Amino acid sequence: VSTQSTGKSVELSSIRNDPDNVIFLLQLSPAFKKSSPELHSFRLASRWFAGREKVYFFYSFTEQIATDLQLESRSYPFLVTICGNSETVFEGDPFDKAEVNNWVQKHQFPSVPELSSETFELLVNNGKLLVLLVANPSYSKFPQLKKEFRELALENDKTNLSFCWINIDQYKSYLSKFGINQETKSAVFILNHPAFQFYPAIKDIKSKTEMANYLSQVSSDEIKVEYYVGFFEYYAWMAKSYLKDNMAMMIGIVVVVIVLQMSAVMYFLWSDIKPKTE
């Protein structure tokens, strides 16, 4: 078994227990050759993650790997992502490079990834509301809070919510927009970045129960959505979004206007130069 992201062999079983690790495993038939189309597609998908920590790509020609990992018996070949105790099986065409690449991109994060400057664009624009656990990793209660937050994420796996955490010490200025200051030890809030919306945070949380209650209050509209930009900023963004979504139509309108103006100019010019009946 080898990983395509770092180019070196590692033991898959030794990294599975860390829930922050994401493992992609392509299980091939022992009869397959290393030049199989599935392996080629898999390698192409993995190259975008070269040097990326905590993302591993493995392929195997032996049944023993799947047996040791207690994976469900499936027909070969199959591709699965493993994160902690959860497994997700690729159900597309393993020969299709685009399908494999899109699936890998979609499943590249653990159940609770870190929101940082490197992951920001991918996480906030995934089409879901972002539930954020705010804390400093050095905070004594952080490991337990993160564990319970991960449990909550897995329970809400099929909803329109996406879960991640952010280091309060590294992003003080950004978090201040949401009423979270450096005195806050821990907090949870919901962010809808594309719409500049957020649901005010609960602070100094101590348990999963408090987090679950917060989600219920948001769902029942007890906690109201707020905007973290001003009136003019918001409507400027709305105009920009409209132009972006309707660019083809706007270009078409501009072209039609230009053609009509040119036609009018040509008409008047032609009217002036053509012979007139006396």
Side-chain angles (χ1 to χ4, degrees):
V1 180
S2 61
T3 172
Q4 304 304 305
S5 60
T6 62
K8 61 183 179 181
S9 296
V10 293
E11 285 296 324
L12 193 154
S13 56
S14 67
I15 60 174
R16 182 182 183 178
N17 292 334
D18 185 344
D20 288 328
N21 289 335
V22 177
I23 302 167
F24 292 98
L25 172 66
L26 175 63
Q27 180 65 58
L28 297 162
S29 167
F32 273 39
K33 296 181 179 179
K34 291 188 177 182
S35 59
S36 69
E38 295 91 347
L39 183 54
H40 179 63
S41 299
F42 187 61
R43 281 175 166 161
L44 287 176
S46 72
R47 65 183 179 177
W48 300 106
F49 297 86
R52 169 92 170 264
E53 294 183 356
K54 293 194 172 288
V55 180
Y56 300 85
F57 289 82
F58 296 89
Y59 61 88
S60 174
F61 294 97
T62 172
E63 299 176 4
Q64 192 60 42
I65 297 296
T67 302
D68 290 346
L69 292 172
Q70 299 181 335
L71 298 179
E72 183 181 333
S73 179
R74 300 179 180 92
S75 58
Y76 298 119
F78 67 83
L79 174 59
V80 60
T81 179
I82 305 166
C83 185
N85 294 321
S86 65
E87 301 163 13
T88 307
V89 180
F90 172 66
E91 296 179 346
D93 180 357
F95 292 88
D96 190 291
K97 299 180 184 67
E99 277 195 55
V100 172
N101 185 67
N102 290 339
W103 187 81
V104 166
Q105 294 287 335
K106 182 179 178 182
H107 294 87
Q108 63 178 291
F109 294 111
S111 54
V112 180
E114 180 180 2
L115 183 67
S116 64
S117 55
E118 290 77 22
T119 61
F120 184 83
E121 289 299 328
L122 287 169
L123 290 174
V124 300
N125 294 307
N126 67 0
K128 294 186 174 185
L129 295 176
L130 208 60
V131 185
L132 278 157
L133 169 64
V134 182
N136 188 314
S138 63
Y139 177 46
S140 61
K141 295 181 181 178
F142 177 70
Q144 183 61 27
L145 284 174
K146 189 179 178 185
K147 177 178 177 292
E148 295 183 357
F149 191 67
R150 184 179 291 110
E151 292 171 2
L152 195 61
L154 294 173
E155 290 170 10
N156 288 273
D157 184 47
K158 305 299 182 185
T159 67
N160 71 327
L161 301 176
S162 179
F163 291 71
C164 62
W165 74 276
I166 184 170
N167 189 325
I168 189 171
D169 277 5
Q170 290 183 351
Y171 299 98
K172 295 188 193 79
S173 178
Y174 176 70
L175 292 169
S176 66
K177 298 178 182 179
F178 312 105
I180 297 172
N181 55 44
Q182 58 187 9
E183 315 301 324
T184 306
K185 293 187 178 297
S186 62
V188 169
F189 75 100
I190 293 179
L191 174 66
N192 182 0
H193 174 76
F196 297 124
Q197 296 175 333
F198 75 103
Y199 291 86
I202 53 165
K203 300 177 183 179
D204 299 325
I205 50 174
K206 298 177 178 62
S207 69
K208 175 184 170 184
T209 302
E210 290 180 74
M211 302 181 209
N213 287 341
Y214 171 74
L215 296 185
S216 297
Q217 288 177 314
V218 169
S219 178
S220 64
D221 212 27
E222 291 178 53
I223 297 178
K224 305 293 184 182
V225 68
E226 297 183 10
Y227 290 91
Y228 62 93
V229 296
F231 177 85
F232 291 108
E233 289 173 292
Y234 176 71
Y235 282 99
W237 168 80
M238 289 282 286
K240 182 180 177 182
S241 298
Y242 180 82
L243 289 173
K244 181 181 177 182
D245 295 340
N246 299 277
M247 186 58 70
M249 183 183 72
M250 298 302 294
I251 291 174
I253 292 173
V254 170
V255 170
V256 169
V257 170
I258 291 174
V259 169
L260 289 174
Q261 288 179 334
M262 296 270 306
S263 299
V265 170
M266 292 301 294
Y267 172 79
F268 286 114
L269 286 175
W270 178 249
S271 298
D272 288 341
I273 63 173
K274 70 178 183 179
K276 295 179 181 178
T277 303
E278 296 294 335

